[in-house]
Amino acid sequence: MEISRKDNEEPEKQNNNNVASIIGSDRTNVIVNHDFSSGMHSWHPNCCEAFVVTAESNVSHGVLDPSKCGTYVAVTNRKETWQGLEQDITSRVKPCCPYKVSATVAVSGPVQGLVEVMATLKLEDRQSQTNYQFIAKACVFKEKWVTLEGMFSLPSITEKVVFYLEGPSPGIDLLIQSVTIHSESELELDRVTAEDETIVVNPNFEDGLTNWSGRSCKIVLHDSMADGKIVPESGKVFASATERTQNWNGIQQEITGKVQRKRAYEATAVVRIYGNNVTTATVQATLWVQNPNQRDQYIGISTVQATDKEWVHLKGKFLLNGSASRVVIYVEGPPPGTDILLNSFTVKHAEKIPPSPPPSIENPAFGVNILTNSHLSDDTTNGWFPLGNCTLSVAEGSPRILPPMARDSLGPREPLSGRYILATNRTQTWMGPAQMITDKLKLFLTYQISVWVKVGYGINSPQNVNVALGIDGQWVNGGQVEINNDRWHEVGGSFRIEKQPSKALVYVQGPSSGIDLMVAGLQIFPVDRLARIKHLKRQCDKIRKRDVILKFSGVDSSKLSGATVIVRQIRNSFPVGTCISRSNIDNEDFVDFFLKNFNWAVFANELKWYWTEPEQGKLNYQDADDMLNLCSSNNIETRGHCIFWEVQATVQQWIQNMNQTDLNNAVQNRLTDLLNRYKGKFKHYDVNNEMLHGSFYQDKLGKDIRVNMFKTAHQLDPSATLFVNDYHVEDGCDPKSCPEKYTELILDLQEKGAPVGGIGIQGHIDSPVGPIVCSALDKLGILGLPIWFTETDVSSVNEHIRADDLEVMMWEAFGHPAVEGIMLWGFWELFMSRDNSHLVNAEGDVNEAGKRFLAVKKDWLSHANGHVDQNGAFPFRGYNGNYAVEVITTSSTKVLKTFVVEKEDSSQVITVDLQGL
């Protein structure tokens, strides 16, 4: 059996089914004429003017063309912020019933940055004064539709209830596309019913190809293929996408109107591939979203490695931050000419998975080495065995002191024995000493690895030495070092296991075959996180706090005698930032958490060259502009990430195809366009990202290009601090980016005249151990440049362990004098670069890691209580930032004042005027 259908049109060009028209028949909507299809019926401008804008009215507001976005109302000639559009809803609402409000709004006119639009209720009773009940507000950019959402409930019966929209400054036009108000109880009933059904219609192709189409390719229905060798995994039929000429060709279904914004969904597909001699390929589920402003967004839901041998399951989650005029879900990915086979595809509301309980660890034995015979005290290798057919023996002459990173964790210990394991007759790089540790590991403990290593004489190229773990056949990196001399070197690393292994061993490997390997004092021990944090808190008291004297004036000293002083810090000025993306700022819940808890931001992709100029000459700065407007209007400082990126895989193909002259011109144009446009707006720039891991521009344009990038950037925007930025600097697991290599790079740039002003450590880290992180900071700190953690994230399925790891990184940053800021690489689920690294779940619940983040920030606030001394002063010691002080006299008179503790080493005297006390 074979039924086919072909659709050669791009989805953007297909007919747009007007899903919004369904709402017009919604009898449960409290609002009458919700979309203004009946003109101004039931609506009234509040002390201003309003008119309906249609495609036939020959009126538009900038880019808001009614022929594309549909009918809307313009509220104009506004003289006060409270003037807007209102509707009497008295007869259609009842007390003590929750109602959900949703309005699509925009603004036009003399708009600077973001403005607020508010939904409000006016409650009138003859027996009492008129009351106003705030419902919700939305931050709106000029001429861009956004959704305002909120809830309200009437506390009692009211004679008259008027709903109205208000808010922008006088002179700004308020534009309204639609308004709905539904009883939340009715919505919940509808929602439960809807969740029992799949969002994708005909998910198993039982109705043939109904509701499915080809994404610019042909789709065919089968009961079998390949002479009966391919049959459905379930059901009777499956579909194939064939005659594919692009990777993005596939099978699609439109689900517009079936998914709600700010709601998490799970997509599951059963897929395989066929044809074109391709045996394995990546298949991806993708969501194409078009918002009301005609901006396209592609959301990658999940990928799976599919084969031509069997069906595989693809599963992932997605969430829409903003309103969508169209939504299409599809599968894509394999090379052109290879068919995608799809047996089923479902989408449903994602279940909320209860968090894992905090792990219970009995007798963690912090600092106790789990290895046998590390010191080779009996002059034998008992407990060790050779991995491979190399030979192990014991020799004398290794260091007797603990490696520095272990010493910082363990404190004073007995010296090492001076004996080491010598591995000879090595014929493979992986050969070396090994030991089984299966029964010695405890789940969820963070283990530190420490060892001295050395390689034999006669090496003619740098050699990597790696402490590795084999956990059920999986390689785990326990630390690496590059050796190019005959000295002993420290290897430090860490690891953690979160499920019980059936087999675990540790081994040391790495030098080329034929090169002897020497290993001394290898230890693996669990680390005490809380003891380290206790130490760091004492350190922070020394390096982050400042002596402050409050001198009270403007009042007679007799009134101050015995007065109580309560000092509370409101905000710490230490930079704590996060990565955000353009789609995130359409979600008001995301924006609320962001603005409340961060004072810096960095853009995930929107400033990168591949985003601002994906095709030559086609520039897109609108996304970055929107994000910068949000930050600047809320006093959030921003980092510019990044001007260039040295890793070739991140460079647009049109740039890779250029000759040297054209590429050099393109680089100069990129610098000029970006830094002139945003001059003075970004405090930092990552000039050429990840130079320790890539060399595209240097290979193409010569070694001087890196220096020239810094010099030109400084000339164009002297106010910006220019950073280097790289990863795996702080964790000991990558010889390419160890602190020593990073230092060499920075010094080389500076010697050639590059104005390097800051050091970026990305901070994508697993199982962080304080002394290892601190060691890297100490080594880089000698350069005298400010260090920032620029992209910090930690990952664990267990939220409590994730919280522990994040707490370690925050305190290590705050507790080191060379560190001047920490940026998280996101915080919201489904918008992180790593799984299980979020602080806030997709639908807005703060998880255990998020709670710990907030708790640490609370610990970074100073408080003091006491009494005014005989000199009319109150001394205390506190962190930099904003404070409030309350003075209470013996007669219970109170005065509340605010002040700022600036960042300086010397004590600060602050005069507090109490006039009027």
Side-chain angles (χ1 to χ4, degrees):
M1 178 184 71
E2 184 175 292
I3 303 172
S4 66
R5 175 179 299 168
K6 187 168 183 178
D7 186 347
N8 288 318
E9 293 185 5
E10 288 278 5
E12 293 84 349
K13 299 176 182 176
Q14 295 170 354
N15 291 330
N16 185 4
N17 297 325
N18 187 5
V19 178
S21 63
I22 299 172
I23 302 173
S25 60
D26 185 358
R27 298 180 184 275
T28 64
N29 189 0
V30 169
I31 294 293
V32 176
N33 185 26
H34 78 286
D35 58 359
F36 308 101
S37 55
S38 299
M40 291 294 296
H41 174 66
S42 295
W43 291 99
H44 305 282
N46 188 2
C47 301
C48 53
E49 298 175 2
F51 59 91
V52 176
V53 180
T54 66
E56 293 76 32
S57 59
N58 294 321
V59 175
S60 66
H61 292 81
V63 298
L64 300 182
D65 184 349
S67 65
K68 296 180 179 179
C69 66
T71 299
Y72 62 88
V73 160
V75 184
T76 187
N77 198 24
R78 301 175 58 256
K79 308 296 186 187
E80 303 286 346
T81 57
W82 51 264
Q83 293 176 348
L85 197 66
E86 65 181 30
Q87 183 173 137
D88 188 332
I89 58 172
T90 309
S91 62
R92 299 188 294 280
V93 290
K94 55 189 177 183
C96 303
C97 178
Y99 291 92
K100 182 175 182 179
V101 176
S102 179
T104 303
V105 296
V107 292
S108 184
V111 179
Q112 298 294 326
L114 283 171
V115 298
E116 290 184 347
V117 174
M118 291 185 290
T120 308
L121 290 181
K122 181 165 62 173
L123 309 176
E124 298 180 359
D125 270 309
R126 280 173 292 185
Q127 312 267 325
S128 61
Q129 64 180 10
T130 299
N131 292 313
Y132 296 89
Q133 182 174 328
F134 169 79
I135 300 173
K137 66 181 178 181
C139 295
V140 186
F141 289 106
K142 182 177 181 179
E143 296 168 3
K144 291 195 173 181
W145 294 111
V146 301
T147 302
L148 182 157
E149 290 184 331
M151 300 282 298
F152 74 85
S153 177
L154 299 178
S156 59
I157 297 175
T158 304
E159 290 185 11
K160 188 175 183 180
V161 182
V162 177
F163 169 85
Y164 67 98
L165 293 165
E166 58 172 333
S169 300
I172 296 176
D173 290 350
L174 171 60
L175 313 179
I176 307 166
Q177 194 175 54
S178 66
V179 183
T180 61
I181 300 177
H182 288 91
S183 166
E184 184 65 7
S185 57
E186 294 171 351
L187 284 175
E188 189 60 34
L189 180 62
D190 292 343
R191 185 178 299 138
V192 171
T193 304
E195 287 175 4
D196 289 336
E197 303 172 0
T198 181
I199 289 162
V200 171
V201 178
N202 187 25
N204 303 305
F205 303 99
E206 293 174 352
D207 292 331
L209 297 175
T210 303
N211 291 99
W212 294 96
S213 63
R215 187 172 177 81
S216 297
C217 63
K218 180 181 179 181
I219 61 172
V220 182
L221 191 69
H222 307 268
D223 52 15
S224 67
M225 287 179 66
D227 298 324
K229 295 178 182 177
I230 300 176
V231 295
E233 181 183 82
S234 62
K236 297 180 180 179
V237 292
F238 60 91
S240 69
T242 189
E243 298 181 15
R244 299 175 60 252
T245 60
Q246 303 289 335
N247 292 69
W248 52 265
N249 296 155
I251 306 174
Q252 68 180 8
Q253 185 170 136
E254 182 154 355
I255 57 173
T256 306
K258 298 178 182 179
V259 288
Q260 303 174 39
R261 61 186 294 262
K262 303 195 300 181
R263 193 166 174 79
Y265 295 91
E266 184 174 75
T268 304
V270 179
V271 298
R272 67 190 292 173
I273 58 172
Y274 177 75
N276 202 28
N277 296 318
V278 176
T279 60
T280 180
T282 300
V283 174
Q284 174 170 310
T286 305
L287 204 68
W288 171 70
V289 181
Q290 189 176 68
N291 72 8
N293 297 306
Q294 307 297 304
R295 189 179 77 239
D296 294 340
Q297 181 187 5
Y298 294 87
I299 301 173
I301 300 171
S302 183
T303 62
V304 70
Q305 204 63 24
T307 75
D308 63 346
K309 301 292 190 298
E310 60 184 354
W311 295 97
V312 294
H313 290 240
L314 182 158
K315 181 178 288 188
K317 295 199 294 186
F318 67 89
L319 176 141
L320 300 183
N321 281 306
S323 303
S325 57
R326 291 192 65 201
V327 184
V328 174
I329 195 165
Y330 62 98
V331 289
E332 59 171 333
T338 301
D339 293 353
I340 302 173
L341 311 187
L342 181 62
N343 189 197
S344 64
F345 200 165
T346 61
V347 175
K348 62 181 181 180
H349 179 230
E351 294 182 10
K352 291 188 177 181
I353 301 173
S356 304
S360 176
I361 304 172
E362 296 183 4
N363 186 26
F366 295 125
V368 177
N369 184 16
I370 68 171
L371 296 181
T372 301
N373 195 21
S374 284
H375 299 301
L376 309 171
S377 53
D378 56 1
D379 253 352
T380 70
T381 58
N382 288 342
W384 298 92
F385 64 90
L387 193 64
N389 57 6
C390 61
T391 303
L392 304 184
S393 60
V394 178
E396 295 270 357
S398 59
R400 291 180 177 272
I401 61 171
L402 281 174
M405 288 182 277
R407 192 163 60 243
D408 288 345
S409 289
L410 298 172
R413 291 290 172 106
E414 63 181 34
L416 301 180
S417 66
R419 290 181 286 272
Y420 63 90
I421 297 174
L422 174 63
T424 57
N425 302 318
R426 299 176 60 256
T427 57
Q428 300 289 336
T429 59
W430 48 266
M431 291 182 178
Q435 186 170 140
M436 299 301 300
I437 56 173
T438 310
D439 299 329
K440 301 175 182 179
L441 297 174
K442 293 185 177 180
L443 301 185
F444 298 110
L445 274 179
T446 300
Y447 288 92
Q448 182 173 345
I449 294 174
S450 172
V451 67
W452 289 112
V453 295
K454 184 179 176 181
V455 297
Y457 295 104
I459 62 172
N460 51 24
S461 62
Q463 301 292 314
N464 281 349
V465 177
N466 166 230
V467 180
L469 297 112
I471 309 294
D472 289 336
Q474 296 293 314
W475 174 76
V476 176
N477 190 349
Q480 292 192 68
V481 68
E482 184 181 271
I483 300 177
N484 56 10
N485 53 42
D486 61 355
R487 296 197 298 267
W488 288 95
H489 293 259
E490 176 184 17
V491 176
S494 61
F495 72 96
R496 180 175 53 237
I497 59 171
E498 299 192 3
K499 64 179 182 178
Q500 190 62 48
S502 58
K503 181 180 179 181
L505 77 156
V506 61
Y507 58 101
V508 187
Q509 61 166 354
S512 302
S513 60
I515 296 177
D516 293 347
L517 173 61
M518 291 159 254
V519 179
L522 176 58
Q523 297 192 64
I524 299 177
F525 53 89
V527 294
D528 188 343
R529 176 185 58 85
L530 293 178
R532 176 69 182 178
I533 290 173
K534 187 176 180 180
H535 159 75
L536 289 170
K537 287 182 177 180
R538 293 193 297 267
Q539 175 83 350
C540 291
D541 190 74
K542 296 176 183 178
I543 69 169
R544 297 293 178 191
K545 286 186 176 180
R546 184 180 185 187
D547 289 323
V548 181
I549 300 173
L550 299 181
K551 294 282 289 185
F552 299 105
S553 66
V555 64
D556 187 86
S557 59
S558 61
K559 288 189 176 182
L560 282 177
S561 178
T564 299
V565 179
I566 302 173
V567 174
R568 292 289 180 266
Q569 187 169 9
I570 302 166
R571 185 179 68 87
N572 191 310
S573 60
F574 184 78
V576 179
T578 183
C579 157
I580 62 175
S581 67
R582 174 59 187 86
S583 70
N584 291 150
I585 67 175
D586 292 331
N587 184 335
E588 56 272 23
D589 298 334
F590 179 100
V591 172
D592 184 61
F593 190 93
F594 166 56
L595 296 180
K596 285 179 179 177
N597 297 297
F598 299 96
N599 52 16
W600 277 70
V602 62
F603 304 164
N605 296 302
E606 288 79 359
L607 210 66
K608 292 171 182 170
W609 198 0
Y610 65 63
W611 191 280
T612 61
E613 195 175 4
E615 298 178 45
Q616 188 172 8
K618 293 185 177 180
L619 299 175
N620 169 29
Y621 288 114
Q622 187 60 56
D623 294 331
D625 288 350
D626 291 348
M627 298 162 75
L628 193 60
N629 283 337
L630 172 68
C631 293
S632 60
S633 62
N634 288 280
N635 299 314
I636 304 287
E637 301 286 6
T638 48
R639 302 191 75 251
H641 176 77
C642 51
I643 304 176
F644 300 102
W645 198 343
E646 272 283 25
V647 178
Q648 183 167 345
T650 68
V651 179
Q652 307 95 298
Q653 194 60 50
W654 66 266
I655 294 175
Q656 295 189 39
N657 294 340
M658 284 182 164
N659 61 39
Q660 188 179 59
T661 300
D662 290 343
L663 178 58
N664 191 63
N665 290 336
V667 166
Q668 298 307 312
N669 290 339
R670 162 69 172 170
L671 283 160
T672 302
D673 290 348
L674 185 73
L675 279 89
N676 281 341
R677 181 183 185 89
Y678 295 116
K679 187 173 184 178
K681 295 183 179 180
F682 288 100
K683 292 290 186 180
H684 299 170
Y685 278 107
D686 295 329
V687 176
N688 193 5
N689 199 36
E690 298 175 1
M691 288 184 281
L692 293 172
H693 289 92
S695 58
F696 171 78
Y697 294 101
Q698 181 172 266
D699 292 343
K700 292 279 189 177
L701 300 174
K703 291 185 177 180
D704 290 341
I705 189 59
R706 291 179 169 180
V707 174
N708 291 338
M709 287 173 174
F710 275 87
K711 287 181 176 179
T712 305
H714 180 67
Q715 290 167 1
L716 292 168
D717 190 351
S719 67
T721 303
L722 305 182
F723 274 70
V724 291
N725 191 50
D726 227 303
Y727 61 92
H728 284 329
V729 177
E730 76 292 351
D731 57 12
C733 71
D734 187 351
K736 289 182 179 179
S737 53
C738 64
E740 292 80 4
K741 288 280 185 72
Y742 211 10
T743 299
E744 288 176 16
L745 171 70
I746 294 165
L747 289 175
D748 182 62
L749 289 168
Q750 289 180 324
E751 287 169 4
K752 293 176 181 176
V756 179
I759 302 171
I761 299 175
Q762 290 184 9
H764 303 289
I765 192 169
D766 293 307
S767 313
V769 168
I772 296 176
V773 175
C774 185
S775 173
L777 296 174
D778 288 344
K779 291 172 182 177
L780 292 168
I782 64 173
L783 294 171
L785 295 173
I787 298 172
W788 280 60
F789 283 100
T790 55
E791 304 180 18
T792 305
D793 59 21
V794 294
S795 176
S796 174
V797 173
N798 189 296
E799 293 175 7
H800 299 271
I801 297 298
R802 193 187 316 161
D804 290 346
D805 286 350
L806 180 61
E807 185 175 27
V808 167
M809 292 302 293
M810 292 181 72
W811 279 108
E812 289 298 335
F814 197 53
H816 199 284
V819 177
E820 295 193 4
I822 181 170
M823 308 287 295
L824 305 188
W825 201 243
F827 59 88
W828 201 275
E829 185 184 11
L830 303 184
F831 298 93
M832 309 288 293
S833 62
R834 299 171 69 193
D835 291 337
N836 303 310
S837 59
H838 56 282
L839 313 185
V840 181
N841 298 337
E843 294 182 356
D845 303 314
V846 179
N847 62 30
E848 292 299 327
K851 292 174 184 176
R852 187 76 60 84
F853 167 76
L854 297 176
V856 172
K857 287 200 68 189
K858 189 175 180 180
D859 280 346
W860 294 356
L861 299 175
S862 303
H863 307 302
N865 299 326
H867 298 278
V868 178
D869 64 18
Q870 65 272 20
N871 299 315
F874 179 76
F876 75 98
R877 186 168 174 80
Y879 294 124
N880 305 322
N882 299 73
Y883 286 80
V885 57
E886 187 177 26
V887 180
I888 308 172
T889 67
T890 53
S891 61
S892 299
T893 305
K894 297 181 181 180
V895 171
L896 186 66
K897 296 285 184 176
T898 59
F899 63 92
V900 176
V901 175
E902 305 288 352
K903 183 181 178 181
E904 292 288 346
D905 293 331
S906 59
S907 62
Q908 181 179 4
V909 178
I910 299 172
T911 301
V912 180
D913 185 1
L914 297 180
Q915 190 169 4
L917 185 65

